[in-house]
Amino acid sequence: MTNNKQVLAWVEEMKNLVNPDKVMWIDGSEAQLDELRAIAVKSGELTKLNEELLPGCYLHRTRQNDVARVEDRTFICTTKEEDAGPTNHWYDPAEMYKKLYNIARGTYQGRTMYIIPFSMGPIGSPLAKIGLEITDSIYVVLNMAIMTRVGQKVLDTLGDSNDWVRGFHASCDIDPENRYICQFPEDNTIISVNSAYGGNVLLGKKCFALRIASYQGWKEGWMAEHMLILGLQNPKGEVKYVAAAFPSACGKTNLAMLIPPKYLQEKGYKIWTVGDDIAWMRIGADGRLYAINPENGFFGVAPGTNEKSNFNALESTKKNTIFTNVALNTDNNTVWWEGLDKNPPENAIDWKGNPWNPSMFVKADKSTYAAHPNSRFTAPAVNCPCISEEFDKGAGVPISAIIFGGRRAKCTPLVYQSKNWENGVFVGSAMASETTAAAAGAVGVVRRDPMAMLPFCGYHMGDYFQHWLDMGKKLGDKAPKIFNVNWFRTDDEGNFLWPGFGDNMRVLNWIIDRCEGKADATETAIGYVPKAEDIDLTDLDMDMDTLKSILTVDAETWKKEAAEIEEHYKKFGDKLPAELKNQLATLKANLG
Ligand code: OXD
Ligand code: MN
């Protein structure tokens, strides 16, 4: 399939290490993928679902000890420990290679070695990058064939170049004690052993497109961010693009695929999805910031996805989708998860492979759920009814606004605009979200998650902040405007005050108006907050006083917040850019 000497040498080295029975290069053809699907169905690795109701769809179950990303076993392996920084686990590269090779040695015996050439981003796009993943799992091959562009065309585009990322995965015994997800940013290499769960083994996603790519972006002058990308079309047919970063469980996929309220639809407003998780951004020839979605599919959380919460995501899963750890409805051979609808199947197999029926469900006890809370769908992006026509073009879309956000019951207003790029970097660096009852542990604990990159930044976060500041200097007055949103303000009883979901469009409209100099704002200590009358409440059962209450910036709450940010900043030591220290000092002074 290729004459690329570096590729062939690496494949040979890995082959000698793991000793497979067979080797198969993934060419990207439907015939080959079909052959693999058939093998996986025969071995039980996949279950074929109802061809009429869910054409081309399959179900897979992982081991019970292997259902999520494992941050405590994820390492950044750089020569100098300092380069990984205080927010990553670090390991010496030479030691780690030795450890991993010892774990993987000989483990492909009796198995096939699959070699997947893949492109992150449309093949040949100047913003795209190429990788190869070696794996012993058909599940990985089939998921990668949805999440990325794979096959011969990728190798043809790579030619003789050595600019590609090496990704090696070995399932081994799925032993949690010997599970490692390791990034070697100095070598463009990723090694993952003893897992078979998506986030740990689909090496194009978090490992490459965020951890390795953020490091590459730092060295090469571009940005790899944990951001959705959407296009907002106004009644004149003009589309403006925004990128947004929220921590997990804050509704990134929902915002990316938002359906505007009816009155706005009737006026001609529309949202187009470019991406739901990752954005790669570079400065274009005209000096503006351009973004592509490096992925080709959605690896979305299933529970809670339904016709109301995210119609477009649900539609995306209706064909050619792989479901992982959801429940199997045995009456009609379809899938189900908590929050899909109010009709749980009478006869089901739960995600652990055991018989399940609705009488077994106890809301407070997640172990009784039919689907695992982190069960997933892997759906082709082309299935999405609102996929942007720019999605598959390699040029990228010009970004007008960057939005940060999190879940804050009291502190942060519904939306505010930072005073300038530097101030926006400060807002992103201090980003935080409160834990909910949906996750184990205490409720309402504030977790700092700068730019939603805490588990994904492949280098020292102080250097990462500096890189953001440097990008702003290069962009100058062409820089996107930076905003912060919070859909989660509550009253004293804990009820959400903002309706969220499609109604977030009302906030997006204010953001775009601000970018175009069309909306007014009130300057506060933290930034520019909308005048209440500029957030359109048409058809909404909400009074002005409630709206005003979620636009407030309470000085006492924010003084506490500033003190917490100061504490958070201590982690970064000398690497904390002076600009951010100054931003914090200015905030404190503004608060009086
Ligand atoms: C994801 C995550 O799976 O951010 O996208 O955890
Ligand atoms: Mn994500």
Side-chain angles (χ1 to χ4, degrees), residues 408 425-432 448-450 465 561 565 568-569:
R408 302 302 299 270
V425 176
F426 169 71
V427 171
S429 74
M431 234 172 90
R448 299 281 152 194
D449 185 353
F465 295 153
E561 180 76 0
I565 295 171
H568 158 65
Y569 269 3

Side-chain angles (χ1 to χ4, degrees), residues 503-514:
D503 290 308
N504 293 335
M505 181 78 180
R506 300 165 196 266
V507 173
L508 291 180
N509 273 345
W510 182 80
I511 287 174
I512 296 299
D513 282 349
R514 282 297 291 175

Side-chain angles (χ1 to χ4, degrees), residues 252-326:
K252 233 161 73 236
T253 304
N254 291 348
L255 186 67
M257 300 179 188
L258 171 156
I259 297 178
K262 203 142 192 266
Y263 85 97
L264 286 174
Q265 286 179 44
E266 281 162 2
K267 283 188 184 173
Y269 284 92
K270 180 144 181 55
I271 291 291
W272 298 105
T273 307
V274 182
D276 80 323
D277 195 39
I278 298 174
W280 282 3
M281 304 191 284
R282 264 180 208 270
I283 300 175
D286 64 0
R288 290 193 292 169
L289 191 62
Y290 283 78
I292 60 162
N293 169 12
E295 301 192 280
N296 200 31
F298 309 120
F299 186 61
V301 176
T305 304
N306 59 52
E307 248 171 55
K308 270 212 173 127
S309 68
N310 196 335
F311 173 85
N312 289 313
L314 191 62
E315 278 300 299
S316 308
T317 68
K318 299 262 166 89
K319 59 179 184 202
N320 304 329
T321 292
I322 300 173
F323 297 92
T324 304
N325 293 339
V326 301

